[in-house]
Amino acid sequence: MSRSNRRQVLRRLGGAATAAGTFGFAGCMGNGNGGGNGNGGNGNGGGNGATTGTTGDTLEITIGCPTALSGAFAPNGEAERDGGQLAIRHLENDLDVSVDLVTADTEVDPSVAVERLEGMVVEDGVHAAYGGVSSAVGIAMGSWGSDNRVPFCPHGASDDITGAECSEYMFATYSGNSMQASVAAPQMAEQADDWYILYSDYTWGQTAETIFTEVLEENGSNVIGSSAVPFPADDYTSYLNTAEEADPDGIALLVAGLDQRTSMNQLLSVGLEQDYTIAMHQLEDVNLWGVGQEAAAAIDVASQGWLPSLDVPADWISEIREMSEHEPYVRHYMGYTSVDQLVRAAVRAGSTDGEAIKNELEGHEVESERVRALQPSEESLYWRAADHQLVQPVYASAGRAVEDMESDPDRWFEVIDRMPGEEAAGEPSAECEL
Amino acid sequence: MSVATLASTPDELPSIPWLLAGLALLAVVIVTLAVRPQLFISNLVGGLVYGMILMMIALGLSLILGLLGVVNFAHGALFMLGAYGAYQTVALFELPFWLALVVVPIGVGLLGVLMEVTVLRRLYGEDPLIGLLATFGVALMLEEATRAQWGGTPLSFDPPAVLRASVQVGFLEIATTRLFTAAVGALVVGGLYVLMYRTDFGLSIRAGLQDQQMAEFLGIDIPKRFTIVFFIGAAIAGLSGVLRGAEVGMDLGMGMDFVILAFVVIVVGGLGSIFGSVVSALLIGVAVFVTPVMLRAATTVAGLEWLYVSGIGGLMPFLVMIGVLLVRPRGLFGEEGLLE
């Protein structure tokens, strides 16, 4: 695990003075995760059992970022980490707080992820954490966090995070599958009558296929066929052939990760975008950067949890560019928001205790001007108490024309519809019992 | 080690089960042609092209395994480097793609030579597991070096206009980049055959594999020839990477994704048989593409749609492997004793 060391000098200087004043040594929860390690007397209440970790009046908190830092999902994990680092920079400027970030590679394996999170809590004294690119990984860590009173923000979009698999200490920063589908499907229905759906053959894709079918049909369109595609898939040709044979008006690509790139590339290579309306679900810009502007331009409707084309502060965009090797996109936003919210909850509670942070987040209306600036609207953003979903707007976007992108290369997509979070989130799932 | 073969036939296939299986397959093909003719033909052609792409990726691996007995787990990393090398050449140096098609495989081949000389040469004759572990370590190093050089974001470059188009063959629309890859694959197979079986160089390689000591007594520099074989295998991986990069772009996971499929191809084809890899790749390619169509047609006609297995295409490489290994444990054209 790697740790950012920017605060170490300060902490060593303050160590002796704070040893006596540190409140964080007590409060072990008896869960075996070992609170009270104190990090060598630097005042850092360890584990999840610390009630506070302070240097004088400065609250010290350690945030974990267990996420995918190797393999195909590494760009997503890196963006989450980088977004979190920018949040820490801002929080340390805005508040009297010292934040330490610990990162670890979860790969895309839930058991590895839980092992990494446990290691962070036990060995590095992590108080709260965020990350996990896939829903399965996020749910596994959120479940472990709930068993051990460690607040955790997963970055998957499965409805299960706030549904059947919801748990007490898990808070969903990403807009769920249904939320994102609810804004895109009506737009799709407006643009084409008959749709063929290709979906990634695992829980996320299967759920998306069900939701899109329902919403499209509610809005007067027909789903004339669908094909499950193994995830990940290295070739979409046969599935595109199948879709074409069904003679739809539109093809919906409910596929995840880099499959968005592969499918779009192969769709473009035979010119299907000229004959069909193309829709994509939970589009993350990074996946199309590897294809090019033509691919983005070919997308008629995309659901997105957040996109850099929103009217967000230029400073934020430039700061992300400065500290990340990736252009800003939704994973930066999520990393930023998760860290901002976890740390502010600890500050409000005046404690790094997991239960205190959880209680502060539950039902909390986001007051952070920094986060609110990234969702430019008047509506309130809040952590719904019933299922811990961050209720926030969702967007339907469309690729801009290539010539428009050339004159404004930072904006590949434009928002064609925006749905308020309250409407998109609907009622909390009856399956979620916190 | 054993001599790789380009032409051998499986013997003693169980005739009655094969006959029944063949008849059942024929019946399903006829049904599919009757019910969904256009889709069947589209996917048959698409499957053959996909098989050629798989063959290109598996060929270098098969060559090195067949001739040198090394399970080169770094093959996927060399494939990935081919794609990133093409990106460097075309997108960053702004040189023509056609130049990348020549220069990058040579560069990857030279990297393969470095790997062979510094790591693998001392492992010949050892347990293949040692070579596998060593090359796995090299693969990790190459992946991290790639991340350090080009970053983790997926990348792409613009291939020439001719490779961005598609051609209409009857009712079929086929991307030219895929046709080009298939054509290059056919040329590489032909070239390998000529090199290994129609030249003195190939003869000396095969002699060295049969009896290295005797070949060296006759003045053949066997280590040098093995290095050249490794160069060729690595260069083919690099060439495959350039072509794949032109089709769908590149990312750090692409090597690992394909190396697993490449291993399936050579296991089905038979360890040590280049010809087997060719047949196996085409078989798997076609199976991946046409099985879902055939199964859908058969279940629809029989009124048993619940029998349709969603996502069956992705399972086919592994189902083919299981089926072949149950009937013929050394693969379709594998040789007795190789890596056993």
Side-chain angles (χ1 to χ4, degrees):
Chain A
M1 272 168 263
S2 61
R3 174 186 284 268
S4 60
N5 294 316
R6 295 180 299 117
R7 313 301 295 181
Q8 282 184 346
V9 173
L10 177 64
R11 288 164 58 182
R12 284 187 185 123
L13 287 172
T18 57
T22 297
F23 307 123
F25 288 9
C28 294
M29 298 297 184
N31 57 18
N33 284 328
N37 65 21
N39 257 353
N42 61 11
N44 184 6
N48 61 357
T51 52
T52 59
T54 60
T55 301
D57 292 331
T58 302
L59 180 81
E60 292 193 345
I61 183 167
T62 304
I63 299 292
C65 176
T67 193
L69 295 173
S70 64
F73 283 122
N76 297 327
E78 289 163 2
E80 292 171 358
R81 176 200 60 201
D82 299 341
Q85 283 174 334
L86 179 60
I88 290 171
R89 182 195 287 180
H90 290 167
L91 288 162
E92 289 181 340
N93 282 339
D94 296 349
L95 306 171
D96 191 8
V97 64
S98 169
V99 187
D100 205 4
L101 185 71
V102 181
T103 60
D105 182 11
T106 61
E107 304 162 20
V108 282
D109 184 333
S111 60
V112 171
V114 167
E115 195 180 304
R116 297 284 187 272
L117 177 58
E118 186 172 8
M120 286 178 164
V121 172
V122 174
E123 294 165 20
D124 299 299
V126 157
H127 300 105
Y130 73 102
V133 174
S134 83
S135 297
V137 166
I139 287 170
M141 289 193 285
S143 175
W144 186 90
S146 294
D147 291 343
N148 295 277
R149 302 189 186 186
V150 179
F152 182 79
C153 294
H155 288 175
S158 167
D159 284 354
D160 284 346
I161 290 174
T162 52
E165 302 287 342
C166 75
S167 56
E168 199 179 356
Y169 283 70
M170 182 159 67
F171 291 84
T173 312
Y174 208 1
S175 298
N177 214 342
S178 301
M179 288 177 73
Q180 296 196 42
S182 63
V183 66
Q187 288 293 322
M188 290 163 61
E190 268 186 27
Q191 296 194 28
D193 291 331
D194 294 332
W195 283 89
Y196 195 92
I197 294 176
L198 301 180
Y199 63 96
S200 292
D201 195 12
Y202 69 103
T203 309
W204 174 86
Q206 291 157 356
T207 309
E209 194 261 349
T210 305
I211 300 164
F212 270 89
T213 301
E214 281 174 15
V215 183
L216 281 169
E217 289 178 352
E218 280 170 12
N219 284 273
S221 280
N222 305 306
V223 175
I224 60 172
S226 63
S227 290
V229 183
F231 177 76
D234 56 50
D235 200 297
Y236 271 76
T237 312
S238 65
Y239 303 103
L240 293 170
N241 286 343
T242 307
E244 200 177 2
E245 193 232 15
D247 195 25
D249 300 317
I251 298 175
L253 299 167
L254 316 184
V255 297
L258 291 178
D259 276 28
Q260 294 184 344
R261 179 185 72 164
T262 307
S263 57
M264 273 310 293
N265 229 330
Q266 294 187 326
L267 185 149
L268 291 172
S269 71
V270 288
L272 293 185
E273 82 283 4
Q274 293 164 16
D275 302 325
Y276 302 97
T277 303
I278 306 297
M280 190 170 271
H281 178 44
Q282 200 184 306
L283 174 63
E284 298 193 0
D285 304 47
V286 68
N287 296 325
L288 293 189
W289 291 333
V291 184
Q293 295 175 333
E294 290 82 4
I299 293 176
D300 300 294
V301 184
S303 59
Q304 293 194 275
W306 185 87
L307 61 164
S309 299
L310 294 172
D311 184 20
V312 299
D315 289 352
W316 191 86
I317 298 283
S318 59
E319 282 183 282
I320 286 288
R321 283 193 180 128
E322 172 201 320
M323 66 193 316
S324 179
E325 68 170 67
H326 309 289
E327 283 288 300
Y329 75 107
V330 66
R331 295 273 161 190
H332 292 102
Y333 163 76
M334 284 195 282
Y336 186 92
T337 302
S338 293
V339 171
D340 179 278
Q341 289 298 290
L342 288 168
V343 172
R344 286 179 191 273
V347 170
R348 286 196 304 277
S351 168
T352 55
D353 173 50
E355 188 173 5
I357 294 173
K358 187 261 296 184
N359 288 338
E360 282 297 330
L361 274 181
E362 206 166 66
H364 173 70
E365 183 172 335
V366 175
E367 295 158 347
S368 165
E369 290 303 320
R370 300 271 194 185
V371 171
R372 291 201 55 83
L374 299 178
Q375 288 283 10
S377 74
E378 292 302 314
E379 71 175 277
S380 64
L381 315 176
Y382 64 95
W383 296 94
R384 190 158 62 181
D387 60 359
H388 292 181
Q389 172 69 56
L390 177 59
V391 176
Q392 59 191 328
V394 287
Y395 303 91
S397 65
R400 304 172 74 211
V402 171
E403 52 272 22
D404 293 340
M405 293 184 210
E406 281 165 359
S407 61
D408 186 5
D410 296 337
R411 295 177 62 233
W412 284 22
F413 295 92
E414 61 190 355
V415 175
I416 56 173
D417 194 16
R418 173 185 162 283
M419 184 175 276
E422 191 76 37
E423 186 181 345
E427 291 297 314
S429 167
E431 293 178 298
C432 176
E433 290 178 15
L434 292 174
Chain B
M1 268 182 273
S2 178
V3 181
T5 58
L6 280 161
S8 61
T9 50
D11 52 356
E12 296 176 17
L13 293 175
S15 56
I16 292 177
W18 277 105
L19 187 64
L20 290 175
L23 285 173
L25 187 64
L26 184 64
V28 175
V29 168
I30 291 168
V31 165
T32 312
L33 271 171
V35 176
R36 307 179 87 169
Q38 189 167 327
L39 184 59
F40 179 77
I41 294 168
S42 300
N43 276 8
L44 182 64
V45 174
L48 286 170
V49 174
Y50 180 63
M52 293 295 277
I53 295 169
L54 280 184
M55 181 200 72
M56 274 289 288
I57 296 164
L59 212 51
L61 190 64
S62 181
L63 184 71
I64 291 168
L65 179 61
L67 294 177
L68 308 183
V70 173
V71 183
N72 182 17
F73 211 84
H75 190 77
L78 296 172
F79 166 69
M80 175 187 69
L81 276 179
Y84 277 93
Y87 170 78
Q88 182 74 33
T89 309
V90 178
L92 301 185
F93 294 157
E94 298 182 355
L95 294 169
F97 170 76
W98 308 110
L99 183 69
L101 200 61
V102 176
V103 171
V104 172
I106 292 172
V108 174
L110 291 175
L111 186 67
V113 168
L114 185 67
M115 194 173 126
E116 195 269 346
V117 171
T118 56
V119 178
L120 293 175
R121 187 170 284 183
R122 62 199 71 190
L123 301 179
Y124 293 143
E126 299 285 342
D127 185 334
L129 186 61
I130 297 173
L132 188 147
L133 289 174
T135 53
F136 183 67
V138 171
L140 293 178
M141 290 166 62
L142 291 177
E143 186 179 318
E144 288 311 309
T146 305
R147 186 197 305 279
Q149 176 63 31
W150 289 287
T153 305
L155 299 169
S156 70
F157 58 85
D158 284 336
V162 67
L163 295 183
R164 279 183 282 167
S166 58
V167 291
Q168 190 84 31
V169 183
F171 59 81
L172 299 177
E173 186 94 25
I174 305 175
T176 50
T177 178
R178 293 171 73 81
L179 286 179
F180 181 69
T181 301
V184 171
L187 283 175
V188 168
V189 171
L192 265 184
Y193 174 78
V194 170
L195 182 71
M196 300 310 298
Y197 290 90
R198 293 288 183 267
T199 65
D200 289 345
F201 172 80
L203 187 64
S204 67
I205 291 280
R206 287 181 289 130
L209 288 166
Q210 281 186 341
D211 191 333
Q212 182 168 347
Q213 201 174 24
M214 180 59 75
E216 286 181 323
F217 281 152
L218 293 173
I220 299 171
D221 186 348
I222 292 300
K224 184 177 169 186
R225 278 164 174 70
F226 281 6
T227 303
I228 293 172
V229 169
F230 208 93
F231 170 83
I232 295 169
I236 294 173
L239 179 61
S240 312
V242 173
L243 294 167
R244 178 71 182 177
E247 189 191 358
V248 295
M250 61 229 59
D251 63 86
L252 293 172
M254 66 186 291
M256 199 56 80
D257 292 345
F258 271 100
V259 81
I260 292 168
L261 268 183
F263 273 117
V264 172
V265 166
I266 62 173
V267 166
V268 169
L271 298 179
S273 171
I274 294 169
F275 178 70
S277 294
V278 174
V279 173
S280 159
L282 294 176
L283 175 67
I284 288 173
V286 170
V288 166
F289 272 57
V290 303
T291 305
V293 188
M294 289 167 54
L295 192 59
R296 175 68 82 188
T299 53
T300 304
V301 168
L304 301 170
E305 292 210 44
W306 54 272
L307 269 180
Y308 180 76
V309 179
S310 167
I312 184 78
L315 294 175
M316 284 317 294
F318 307 101
L319 293 178
V320 168
M321 183 170 72
I322 291 168
V324 167
L325 292 184
L326 280 175
V327 176
R328 195 174 161 80
R330 76 181 69 142
L332 291 175
F333 298 90
E335 295 171 46
E336 191 174 9
L338 184 69
L339 296 179
E340 287 178 357

